[in-house]
Amino acid sequence: MPNRVSDHDDQVNLLRSRRQQQQHRQLQQNFARTTAPAALFASGGAQVDASAAGNGDSIDMTIGKFLASFWGTGGFVYILLRSIRKIVPIAMEPFGDGAVALNRVQLVMYILTCLWFAYVEGYKGFQCKFSPLVVSRSLTLHPRSPPHHLLLAPLYSMGLFHATKKRVIVSWSVSLGVAALVAGVKRMPYPWRNIVDAGVVVGLTWGMLSILVGYVLACAKGVSPADPALPEEATKKD
């Protein structure tokens, strides 16, 4: 009988010990999750574990890499900004002095077009797809990158060259398609050209802001937001 009691006590103690170990491990994991942002801030966002941030690769950020990536992302943002500045006066023309006012149907179309471009171009096109690509590709640049990659960093970040075959085809198709669309919109009569241009302004502005925010977050977290779609030979070298 005493032996059975002793065995029972041993089992109870063993279970308690296991529970304490599990609780200790859980506390350690919670502590690590809580202090991870502080550790990242203390290290200047230099490098973090890629598995902690999803599908992206960790970034070993240096001053040279920052300057190269900033030129890639910032250069493309500047291209968008110039386009927006050219289109804004046309988009706002119906509300200016001396302009023929929009009727109710045209005003509704103006608003719906802005909403449609905001969702399709701004959110689905830029924020969900193209913006993470631009940021990720710019973050692959560094001072030892080929000179033409650095010189044409905005175009490199867009995936117009030194990318997978599919990415190059998609990027050039989109660029040429946008150019053809712009040429077609210029021939539209008033106020339909203005209505379409208003939507384009909203979409491009959304896209520009999503790229800027994405770049800042990527640098702060130390993680690339998406697959940069580099060619296979470049991936093997890296």
Side-chain angles (χ1 to χ4, degrees):
M1 187 67 178
N3 291 334
R4 292 182 179 178
V5 174
S6 177
D7 292 341
H8 178 72
D9 292 339
D10 291 341
Q11 291 178 357
V12 171
N13 292 331
L14 180 60
L15 290 174
R16 288 178 179 175
S17 177
R18 290 179 178 176
R19 289 177 182 175
Q20 291 177 352
Q21 291 178 356
Q22 291 177 353
Q23 292 176 352
H24 181 67
R25 291 174 183 173
Q26 187 64 35
L27 288 173
Q28 287 181 330
Q29 292 176 357
N30 292 337
F31 178 77
R33 291 172 184 172
T34 304
T35 57
L40 174 61
F41 178 79
S43 63
Q47 188 172 6
V48 296
D49 184 7
S51 62
N55 298 327
D57 295 330
S58 59
I59 304 169
D60 186 10
M61 185 63 75
T62 62
I63 295 178
K65 188 176 184 66
F66 171 76
L67 294 176
S69 63
F70 183 79
W71 163 228
T73 297
F76 179 63
V77 167
Y78 178 70
I79 293 174
L80 294 180
L81 182 61
R82 287 193 61 185
S83 300
I84 293 170
R85 291 180 61 182
K86 290 181 179 179
I87 302 175
V88 165
I90 301 174
M92 298 303 296
E93 182 182 353
F95 306 102
D97 296 335
V100 179
L102 301 177
N103 58 39
R104 291 184 179 180
V105 175
Q106 293 169 343
L107 183 59
V108 170
M109 288 299 299
Y110 192 100
I111 296 172
L112 291 178
T113 300
C114 290
L115 294 175
W116 189 85
F117 271 89
Y119 178 74
V120 175
E121 183 182 17
Y123 177 71
K124 297 288 288 185
F126 273 100
Q127 184 173 334
C128 294
K129 296 179 180 179
F130 198 61
S131 297
L133 173 75
V134 170
V135 173
S136 296
R137 286 184 60 83
S138 71
L139 290 171
T140 63
L141 295 169
H142 51 80
R144 296 184 301 277
S145 295
H148 65 289
H149 289 188
L150 295 174
L151 181 64
L152 304 175
L155 304 183
Y156 169 90
S157 300
M158 293 171 61
L160 294 177
F161 66 94
H162 193 68
T164 61
K165 183 178 180 179
K166 179 181 178 180
R167 181 68 259 171
V168 171
I169 293 175
V170 171
S171 294
W172 275 103
S173 298
V174 171
S175 300
L176 295 176
V178 170
L181 178 63
V182 170
V185 170
K186 287 182 178 180
R187 299 185 178 185
M188 296 177 67
Y190 178 91
W192 303 111
R193 176 188 176 182
N194 310 77
I195 292 173
V196 174
D197 281 343
V200 172
V201 168
V202 173
L204 292 181
T205 302
W206 189 310
M208 181 181 66
L209 294 176
S210 67
I211 292 174
L212 289 174
V213 172
Y215 181 76
V216 172
L217 290 177
C219 292
K221 294 179 179 179
V223 177
S224 179
D227 179 11
L230 294 175
E232 293 183 3
E233 59 270 17
T235 305
K236 292 179 180 179
K237 289 180 181 180
D238 294 339

